[in-house]
Amino acid sequence: MEAVDHSEAEKTVKEFDETKAGVKGIVDSGVTKIPRMFIHPLEDLQQNNMDHDLRVPMIDLKGLDQSPERRKEVIHQISKAAEAWGFFQIVNHGVPLDVMEEVLKSVRRFHEQPHEAKVEWYSRDFTKKVNYFSNGDLKASTPADWRDTLSCNCQFLEDESNFQALPRVCSDYLSTLGCFKSSTLSCHYYPVCPEPHLTLGAIKHSDFPFLTLLLQDSSGGFQVLHQNVWVNVPPLQGVLVANIGDMMQITSNDKFCCPITRRSTTCYYVFLGPSLVSWRSKRQKTVSLSSAEAEYRAMTGACCELTWLEFVLRDLGVLQPKPALLYCDNKAALHIAANPVFHERTRHIEMDCHFIRDKIQDGQSL
């Protein structure tokens, strides 16, 4: 076992960030060994057996608006891919090939500028509309990714008068795109690494928004996890990659789940009168075997929060004469919560989840 000096690691991370040069600055310095902060654990670097026939689904949008039958067919393909994979590729999407190529060139032009031309954009203040940084969550306790990023708040850039906020080297072209109705435009750059076997450009993760559209360059290396196997997604000309995000999982009632864990998300909001006083969105600890089970777990979490808030209000002298109202749109979960003898198909659910039954029987929740 190797001892790690955390104070030294924190110092290294701080010094790297203060250079404001990113990973590209390390490469430009001519290093032949990557800094320790970028070295990932061996278990994260190990490759799965590539002897498989798995391929990320390809969705052809050609003729989408020509007939209701064709539209229904495409929607079914997207739904099937989103449910089984959480990822799919898109072809014939209507974005001109020259536009896609110029976007990639604009991103590369920014990142390959001299350090002096980029330093004014470097910031960890993520409330800014445009900023340049290396690793959004940079800390000494976890290995850093070999990646730099230019991030733009696209809602801010819907107003053409704000295009001057973009770096000049890429604003002339990006400002002509009609792509700013999305939430965020993240322009990642992965410099050539002297020891690629020791680091990663991005760790295993899921995306928070509803949907992420990825435009790859010709570098390759992008993989998705499916059936516990890492599947290569080779870059193809004119193809976009779609990734189902956490918010889509919540709004689809877990039909489209996280492709990494397949765990559901507990999400609830608590109102006191018209005022929102508490909320939560967190991945559940275990995989649920049905949407009813996932909803039941979420109801239990919400019931615990209601109980805690009731005690807080009581301490403040605010009494609640009526039971708290708990809303859920899953009838099966409601039956499980309300029926104390409905055990035949719920015995696998942990006993602490049945906490909500006691509260309903006591009249504290409805």
Side-chain angles (χ1 to χ4, degrees):
M1 181 179 295
E2 185 178 1
V4 178
D5 186 345
H6 292 286
S7 61
E8 185 63 29
E10 291 175 358
K11 179 182 177 182
T12 301
V13 169
K14 182 179 180 182
E15 290 176 348
F16 164 75
D17 197 41
E18 288 178 346
T19 66
K20 298 185 178 183
V23 176
K24 183 63 163 58
I26 296 177
V27 175
D28 291 343
S29 68
V31 299
T32 57
K33 299 285 187 180
I34 66 173
R36 183 186 182 86
M37 60 179 285
F38 291 97
I39 298 178
H40 286 248
L42 182 61
E43 57 268 22
D44 292 343
L45 298 169
Q46 289 176 336
Q47 296 265 339
N48 289 92
N49 183 6
M50 302 305 293
D51 185 18
H52 60 77
D53 296 326
L54 296 173
R55 297 290 184 274
V56 176
M58 179 73 75
I59 308 297
D60 189 350
L61 300 185
K62 186 176 182 180
L64 177 64
D65 296 327
Q66 293 182 357
S67 69
E69 292 76 16
R70 174 57 182 160
R71 182 180 180 84
K72 185 176 180 181
E73 178 187 2
V74 171
I75 292 175
H76 174 72
Q77 292 175 355
I78 293 176
S79 177
K80 185 177 179 180
E83 186 173 357
W85 282 76
F87 277 90
F88 53 90
Q89 301 176 90
I90 307 173
V91 68
N92 292 322
H93 39 66
V95 181
L97 182 60
D98 62 331
V99 171
M100 300 171 71
E101 291 177 345
E102 285 299 325
V103 167
L104 293 175
K105 289 179 182 178
S106 295
V107 173
R108 185 177 292 274
R109 277 197 298 269
F110 172 81
H111 285 287
E112 294 184 350
Q113 293 180 104
H115 168 58
E116 295 76 15
K118 298 181 294 184
V119 66
E120 66 174 296
W121 304 102
Y122 195 94
S123 173
R124 293 207 166 274
D125 180 3
F126 296 108
T127 62
K128 289 187 174 182
K129 308 306 180 183
V130 180
N131 57 345
Y132 160 59
F133 56 92
S134 180
N135 288 262
D137 189 19
L138 185 65
K139 51 188 177 182
S141 58
T142 56
D145 295 333
W146 194 259
R147 179 184 72 241
D148 294 332
T149 301
L150 172 66
S151 178
C152 306
N153 184 318
C154 298
Q155 294 174 341
F156 167 76
L157 294 175
E158 287 180 4
D159 184 349
E160 293 184 5
S161 64
N162 292 325
F163 282 135
Q164 59 185 358
L166 287 168
R168 187 176 185 84
V169 69
C170 56
S171 62
D172 292 342
Y173 186 76
L174 293 182
S175 62
T176 65
L177 296 178
C179 65
F180 293 124
K181 295 190 182 299
S182 59
S183 175
T184 304
L185 178 67
S186 296
C187 308
H188 299 308
Y189 181 77
Y190 306 89
V192 176
C193 181
E195 295 180 302
H197 59 288
L198 296 179
T199 190
L200 292 171
I203 60 172
K204 180 174 67 173
H205 69 282
S206 63
D207 289 343
F208 179 74
F210 285 92
L211 184 71
T212 299
L213 291 178
L214 173 67
L215 172 60
Q216 298 189 79
D217 64 6
S218 59
S219 301
F222 179 57
Q223 296 180 322
V224 302
L225 187 63
H226 181 68
Q227 298 179 357
N228 204 33
V229 174
W230 285 105
V231 181
N232 282 326
V233 187
L236 300 173
Q237 192 176 50
V239 173
L240 295 172
V241 181
N243 174 22
I244 300 298
D246 294 343
M247 289 301 295
M248 183 72 78
Q249 176 180 343
I250 294 173
T251 56
S252 67
N253 198 22
D254 290 329
K255 180 177 182 180
F256 306 136
C257 297
C258 168
I260 295 177
T261 66
R262 291 297 171 183
R263 288 181 289 163
S264 302
T265 301
T266 290
C267 181
Y268 59 78
Y269 303 88
V270 181
F271 288 86
L272 182 61
S275 303
L276 178 64
V277 295
S278 178
W279 60 90
R280 190 183 195 192
S281 177
K282 186 177 181 180
R283 191 87 65 193
Q284 295 179 359
K285 294 182 180 179
T286 58
V287 177
S288 297
L289 300 180
S290 66
S291 60
E293 180 181 339
E295 292 278 4
Y296 185 51
R297 294 181 190 277
M299 287 177 66
T300 300
C303 190
C304 291
E305 183 74 5
L306 288 172
T307 302
W308 178 79
L309 288 172
E310 182 181 355
F311 284 117
V312 171
L313 291 173
R314 186 181 304 171
D315 291 341
L316 295 174
V318 181
L319 299 181
Q320 297 293 315
K322 295 182 180 180
L325 298 178
L326 179 59
Y327 296 94
C328 177
D329 61 356
N330 189 292
K331 291 185 178 180
L334 291 172
H335 282 300
I336 295 173
N339 190 345
V341 296
F342 197 76
H343 291 301
E344 182 63 25
R345 298 185 181 181
T346 59
R347 64 182 60 187
H348 64 285
I349 303 177
E350 292 90 336
M351 291 303 298
D352 59 352
C353 284
H354 297 308
F355 167 82
I356 187 174
R357 284 182 176 172
D358 294 338
K359 292 299 179 183
I360 292 177
Q361 294 300 314
D362 292 342
Q364 296 183 27
S365 293
L366 290 178

